[in-house]
Amino acid sequence: METTFLKSNSIKVAPKLLGWILCRQLPHGLVKVRIVETEAYHQADPASHSFRGMTARTAPMFEAGGTIYVYFTYGMHYCLNIVTGKKEVGEAVLLRAAEPLEGIEIMHQNRFNDTVLGLTYHSMKSTNFYDLANGPAKLTQALNIKDTLLSGKKLGPQTLFLEPPQKMILAKDIIASPRIGIREATEMPWRFYIKDNPFVSRNN
DNA sequence: TGCCTGATGTTCT
DNA sequence: GAACATCAGGCAC
């Protein structure tokens, strides 16, 4: 896992994570998704959980790059971040959306709690396919992240791990735009997504 | 197609 | 006690 770039700051790392494959080994099989949308947060940013300093919840954000940060929000949802930068600097990249690649049946079951046999990348045309991971809380559901136990753990085979992009994402295909669902620093263009990709959470 | 709202509980003021 | 890095379903158009 060539992830030394995670030691850089979140605003640099967030666009670089586009196209990387996020993998998770679950009891029923391996799940792989391609990251298509991210947002950068850092401790000088009023919208960031780390802005007000370290708490029990946000401590993982102050770990070294390559740590996992999971938080619970809106009373029912979990969101997944990859911590970036140096230890004692509070920053992370929120993973907002991903394209399902492998383990689609498993993700479908995680999301909708049912079993749909015979679903494949090519045959599955239902809206559910595009809805599997096109939002930060949907992504964690698909990956069966239903608590904060992973928060503070390192990326790795036992938790979550990254594989390099199958093909490079060109700079011209990366869109930077204001972040979504926040009230502070709403004008900062620290949301990054792949242009014209049908798996992003919204196309603007 | 797009807006509006209810669900639900942790975290921090 | 208020805010919250959200989602899905309902209803109006």
Side-chain angles (χ1 to χ4, degrees):
Chain A
M1 191 159 65
E2 264 312 311
T3 53
T4 51
F5 72 100
L6 296 177
K7 307 291 183 186
S8 185
N9 73 66
S10 60
I11 295 172
K12 286 186 180 173
V13 174
K16 287 184 186 171
L17 275 171
L18 297 176
W20 280 73
I21 315 295
L22 181 66
C23 312
R24 177 154 162 82
Q25 182 67 54
L26 292 171
H28 296 290
L30 184 65
V31 168
K32 292 191 181 188
V33 299
R34 180 170 171 263
I35 298 169
V36 300
E37 180 178 344
T38 60
E39 283 182 0
Y41 290 87
H42 59 88
Q43 65 184 25
D45 164 19
S48 173
H49 291 169
S50 59
F51 181 67
R52 295 172 198 286
M54 195 189 304
T55 66
R57 177 178 64 148
T58 63
M61 287 188 77
F62 294 83
E63 290 295 318
T67 301
I68 298 164
Y69 172 50
V70 178
Y71 66 89
F72 182 75
T73 191
Y74 289 109
M76 58 180 75
H77 295 305
Y78 294 91
C79 294
L80 172 64
N81 297 249
I82 294 179
V83 176
T84 66
K86 298 173 184 171
K87 188 173 170 62
E88 300 185 5
V89 178
E91 55 181 312
V93 173
L94 171 67
L95 304 185
R96 281 195 57 89
E99 172 182 350
L101 296 180
E102 282 186 39
I104 290 168
E105 288 179 33
I106 297 169
M107 285 188 269
H108 198 279
Q109 188 162 6
N110 290 339
R111 286 269 290 123
F112 305 107
N113 197 28
D114 61 7
T115 302
V116 181
L117 295 175
L119 295 176
T120 68
Y121 184 95
H122 295 293
S123 71
M124 188 169 169
K125 296 290 189 188
S126 80
T127 55
N128 282 348
F129 179 58
Y130 292 98
D131 284 345
L132 279 178
N134 64 341
K138 297 179 187 180
L139 176 60
T140 55
Q141 281 182 35
L143 295 176
N144 200 39
I145 296 171
K146 295 172 180 172
D147 51 50
T148 57
L149 289 178
L150 285 178
S151 198
K153 299 255 193 329
K154 303 294 179 194
L155 291 172
Q158 305 302 317
T159 54
L160 288 163
F161 57 98
L162 292 170
E163 290 180 353
Q166 293 160 338
K167 57 180 179 182
M168 285 292 296
I169 306 297
L170 302 176
K172 70 176 180 63
D173 291 323
I174 296 178
I175 308 286
S177 74
R179 294 170 294 178
I180 291 174
I182 57 171
R183 303 189 56 148
E184 302 273 4
T186 52
E187 71 286 358
M188 304 312 294
W190 292 335
R191 170 184 177 232
F192 302 91
Y193 61 95
I194 300 176
K195 183 182 177 184
D196 297 329
N197 186 286
F199 298 91
V200 301
S201 63
R202 46 168 95 167
N203 283 299
N204 57 25

